[in-house]
Amino acid sequence: MVADALRHFAGWILTLAIVGLTGCGEPEPVRIGFLGSLTGRASDLGIAGRNGALLAVEQANAAGGIAGRRVELIVRDDAQKIGLAQRGVAELLATGVEVIIGPMTSAMAEVVLPLTKSAGIPVIAPSVTSTAFLGLDDQFFRVTATTREYASASARYLAGELRRRKASVIYDRSNDTFSADWVRHFSAAFGRAGGEVVRVETFESAADMSVQDTVDRALAPRPDSLVVVSAAVDLARIAQLVRRTDSALVIMGSTWAATEELVAIGGRAVEGVLVPQMFDREDASPRYQSFRSAYVERFGEQPGYGAVVAYDAARVALEALAQTGSGRKARNYLIDHTFAGLQQPLHIDPWGDTQRDVYMTRIRDGRFSLEAKLSGPQRE
């Protein structure tokens, strides 16, 4: 009897010890997903986005996480391919992420949003700008303005400040949700400003593809400017082809190409190329300079726009989760709320959309140099 009682008591003590050890263990982390192109021809944007989001998460953890819980960033690569994006979203949802940061392009957003709708968690896109997602009552949020603002501001600058009147356009159909939208808004604003789009040519980005014929057709009407709506690698390649025969033609890219890879790949051919930007690289404010220093120390390179907007998106997500405790509750906190962005307040309207300043840069001496801060986003 005594022996049985002692064995029972010892078992009870052991059970308490196990429960105590389990209770004192590290709590389950708060999981945030990231989806972007980490491989392929748009990987410069995706990698920068991942790095910006990762820095925000690491800083949050250094400050204690969310309510004492560590934040874990779970990353998936969409490679700008429908199948990989679908699989990446399924895997992120299976891990129980509270929020998804991404995707980084409009084409992938078109794939992702139907899959995340039933999950009831926010999708916060750093750099998706297509107006196809504008004014929708859903779980989709963004921290940048739309193509309407960036393309229209670019057109006004080209026609107004540079007095260009005849523009040809080349755009990449592989991100058609963005590219065709950009061309539509650019063409309309350019026409209102006194210009005319005299030729529109398209291509589909691929490593083994030649764009020489596309360039030749675009230049046939003798335009005074060429607008290229593509990722950095293709804008660089097109600029190299143009400069073989015309060293003076004004070339303008889109926000999609506004990465450091454009300068690295394009070399001398992209000197003088105009590129609208989502942020001011020359910002001397303490907030931005602190971010910039931390980013350089962590990743060994200067932050580009993908890093800046993804950092903003991650900070928005972290604040919403800290205030609400879960992704499903975060939506009501996100809508009609103003967040402290790196360079400006970011007010997310009831439809999940926001505004962001527009900066025009020109590549000079191998770097993006601020040409003008445009009047800011304007509704057309």
Side-chain angles (χ1 to χ4, degrees):
M1 293 283 293
V2 173
D4 288 342
L6 287 172
R7 281 195 296 271
H8 177 76
F9 179 73
W12 180 64
I13 291 295
L14 179 60
T15 300
L16 283 179
I18 292 172
V19 171
L21 286 172
T22 303
C24 293
E26 185 176 339
E28 193 77 4
V30 177
R31 295 186 175 92
I32 294 177
F34 175 85
L35 182 71
S37 299
L38 306 179
T39 56
R41 296 175 71 76
S43 61
D44 56 330
L45 178 58
I47 291 170
R50 178 203 60 192
N51 291 350
L54 182 59
L55 180 60
V57 166
E58 290 176 346
Q59 290 177 340
N61 285 331
I66 295 177
R69 296 169 62 190
R70 183 175 62 85
V71 182
E72 180 182 357
L73 186 70
I74 302 176
V75 177
R76 291 294 182 271
D77 177 18
D78 63 38
Q80 197 71 7
K81 295 180 179 178
I82 292 174
L84 283 178
Q86 292 171 332
R87 187 173 74 186
V89 169
E91 290 175 353
L92 290 175
L93 294 177
T95 66
V97 296
E98 301 286 350
V99 178
I100 293 177
I101 306 299
M104 299 297 288
T105 67
S106 297
M108 293 299 99
E110 201 169 32
V111 174
V112 166
L113 294 181
L115 303 177
T116 58
K117 185 176 181 180
S118 61
I121 63 170
V123 175
I124 306 178
S127 53
V128 169
T129 61
S130 173
T131 57
F133 312 108
L134 184 65
L136 301 178
D137 184 10
D138 53 18
Q139 294 287 110
F140 180 65
F141 302 86
R142 45 185 162 192
V143 295
T144 193
T146 71
T147 50
R148 178 171 61 190
E149 283 72 46
Y150 290 109
S152 299
S154 298
R156 290 191 297 267
Y157 188 81
L158 191 63
E161 297 298 318
L162 301 185
R163 301 289 191 268
R164 302 294 105 174
R165 291 293 178 265
K166 294 175 57 180
S168 282
V169 175
I170 298 175
Y171 76 90
D172 179 6
R173 293 194 311 271
S174 69
N175 188 15
D176 200 58
T177 309
F178 165 84
S179 303
D181 195 47
W182 178 284
V183 173
R184 178 166 63 90
H185 289 293
F186 175 89
S187 299
F190 195 57
R192 287 191 295 270
E196 178 188 3
V197 173
V198 295
R199 182 68 60 87
V200 176
E201 294 292 335
T202 67
F203 71 98
E204 211 157 328
S205 182
D208 58 352
M209 171 209 61
S210 171
V211 290
Q212 182 66 69
D213 290 345
T214 303
V215 170
D216 290 343
R217 289 192 299 270
L219 298 184
R222 296 186 174 277
D224 58 19
S225 50
L226 176 67
V227 178
V228 181
V229 185
S230 72
V233 61
D234 292 307
L235 174 54
R237 181 165 56 163
I238 289 170
Q240 288 166 348
L241 292 174
V242 171
R243 292 304 182 222
R244 290 177 183 175
T245 57
D246 192 331
S247 61
L249 183 69
V250 172
I251 301 175
M252 175 181 279
S254 68
T255 47
W256 186 14
T259 70
E260 277 55 32
E261 187 167 354
L262 174 61
V263 177
I265 295 175
R268 292 175 59 86
V270 297
E271 283 289 309
V273 170
L274 292 156
V275 187
Q277 299 277 351
M278 297 178 179
F279 80 112
D280 178 11
R281 285 174 168 77
E282 299 174 18
D283 182 7
S285 69
R287 182 192 296 270
Y288 177 72
Q289 287 301 316
S290 175
F291 159 79
R292 177 182 167 278
S293 296
Y295 189 91
V296 171
E297 182 178 354
R298 176 67 174 83
F299 300 108
E301 61 185 20
Q302 296 292 330
Y305 85 90
V308 169
V309 293
Y311 182 86
D312 274 342
R315 290 289 297 268
V316 166
L318 290 164
E319 180 180 332
L321 291 174
Q323 293 295 322
T324 64
S326 78
R328 289 183 176 271
K329 296 178 181 178
R331 179 183 183 277
N332 289 338
Y333 184 83
L334 288 166
I335 60 174
D336 208 19
H337 193 89
T338 300
F339 297 85
L342 271 177
Q343 295 190 336
Q344 66 181 86
L346 300 172
H347 180 78
I348 296 177
D349 71 18
W351 310 110
D353 301 307
T354 191
Q355 295 287 290
R356 200 178 190 99
D357 291 334
V358 183
Y359 301 88
M360 184 59 65
T361 62
R362 187 186 295 271
I363 298 176
R364 291 193 180 96
D365 300 322
R367 59 184 292 272
F368 291 105
S369 177
L370 181 63
E371 188 93 344
K373 178 181 177 181
L374 305 183
S375 56
Q378 297 183 23
R379 293 295 184 191
E380 295 287 341

